[in-house]
Amino acid sequence: MYDPQTGVYITSEESFPNQGLYQKDSAYYLKFNSSKGLYAIKQLKAQYEGIESNRCFYYHVYLDLLFEAIGLIIVRFKPARSAKKIIRQQADDNCKEYDYTMENYPLLHDKSFRNFIEHIDEKGHMLIEKHKYWGTFNLIYPNMKEKVRNDLLDSHKPQNNLLNIENMTYTILDYDKKTDSIKTKIINILELEKELQQIQKISSRIWSFLTELF
């Protein structure tokens, strides 16, 4: 078990069947998906030099890649309720090894952005039915046409899927079934990057320990 406070890895008897293999599997995929997410952010931060007509496609691809990685990371700590007991046990171990708390990883506790992208068809149809639909994926970027920028930032027409490259935020409209209301949610991608860097750092250490042991 890895202690995130001391950085020390201590071997012990397995407390559930194949614990070592589950730990190795988790370490690899947490390392892989945190690296994938960081790669996507790097591309989002890079200056776009492609064809103007492909600009939105470029950013949309890397945004989806980022949140695909986020979803696959979160499930390693918060598995589905229907998950087998042994998977929940490994998730508990992961929470200990990565010190996965709301305080340390507030953005990696929120799967709503990943869920929004994964169920984009349903989200779009719901907004259309409620007359709250003002477009598909849209983008704010430096030196764009001022009128287009103002239209996208118009509070009377809130965008349901808006990436702002200037301040590195992503905005969605999220439907709350409990209150039957639509709420604007914004995530800071640079803050998310810091959390991913921590996951990558710890997973790389654990992977290094495990590959040396076995």
Side-chain angles (χ1 to χ4, degrees):
M1 179 73 72
Y2 177 76
D3 183 347
Q5 305 303 322
T6 64
V8 174
Y9 186 88
I10 301 173
T11 57
S12 60
E13 291 186 9
E14 293 188 343
S15 57
F16 58 86
N18 298 311
Q19 184 178 14
L21 292 177
Y22 279 106
Q23 182 190 37
K24 191 171 185 179
D25 179 75
S26 283
Y28 175 81
Y29 282 103
L30 284 169
K31 182 168 72 75
F32 171 72
N33 284 304
S34 59
S35 296
K36 182 167 70 174
L38 289 170
Y39 173 76
I41 292 175
K42 180 180 178 180
Q43 301 309 309
L44 293 174
K45 291 164 66 176
Q47 182 175 347
Y48 180 72
E49 297 180 348
I51 301 171
E52 181 60 28
S53 60
N54 287 340
R55 184 188 292 271
C56 275
F57 174 79
Y58 170 91
Y59 284 104
H60 199 168
V61 166
Y62 285 111
L63 183 76
D64 277 18
L65 183 68
L66 168 61
F67 285 101
E68 175 189 281
I70 296 303
L72 291 170
I73 289 170
I74 293 175
V75 76
R76 291 284 176 169
F77 299 99
K78 298 165 64 178
R81 294 178 182 177
S82 59
K84 295 178 180 179
K85 178 181 178 181
I86 202 164
I87 300 302
R88 296 197 302 273
Q89 288 175 306
Q90 180 53 47
D92 289 341
D93 280 357
N94 287 341
C95 288
K96 295 173 186 175
E97 291 191 304
Y98 292 80
D99 203 8
Y100 181 80
T101 63
M102 179 64 78
E103 181 180 3
N104 291 335
Y105 301 98
L107 302 183
L108 286 178
H109 269 76
D110 186 353
K111 204 178 180 183
S112 59
F113 292 90
R114 169 55 185 159
N115 288 343
F116 176 86
I117 291 171
E118 187 174 358
H119 302 285
I120 192 66
D121 292 348
E122 299 169 31
K123 304 292 185 180
H125 297 163
M126 178 272 295
L127 290 172
I128 289 171
E129 292 167 3
K130 293 183 177 294
H131 308 291
K132 298 289 186 180
Y133 189 83
W134 303 108
T136 54
F137 175 81
N138 278 301
L139 181 69
I140 299 290
Y141 59 93
N143 304 315
M144 70 186 297
K145 293 180 180 179
E146 197 63 26
K147 183 182 183 306
V148 177
R149 178 201 303 274
N150 292 338
D151 285 345
L152 292 175
L153 296 176
D154 186 346
S155 60
H156 295 98
K157 297 179 180 180
Q159 297 296 310
N160 70 311
N161 196 358
L162 180 66
L163 174 64
N164 189 326
I165 292 301
E166 292 184 329
N167 62 14
M168 293 302 290
T169 60
Y170 177 51
T171 302
I172 63 172
L173 292 183
D174 194 42
Y175 177 64
D176 187 338
K177 289 184 179 179
K178 293 181 180 179
T179 60
D180 189 29
S181 61
I182 298 172
K183 299 179 180 179
T184 299
K185 296 199 68 171
I186 303 174
I187 191 168
N188 186 312
I189 293 174
L190 297 182
E191 292 301 314
L192 179 60
E193 181 180 36
K194 294 176 184 177
E195 294 185 20
L196 285 174
Q197 288 169 340
Q198 182 65 7
I199 294 291
Q200 184 191 55
K201 178 181 177 182
I202 294 175
S203 59
S204 295
R205 286 181 178 175
I206 295 174
W207 180 252
S208 177
F209 283 126
L210 293 176
T211 50
E212 287 177 6
L213 285 173
F214 301 105

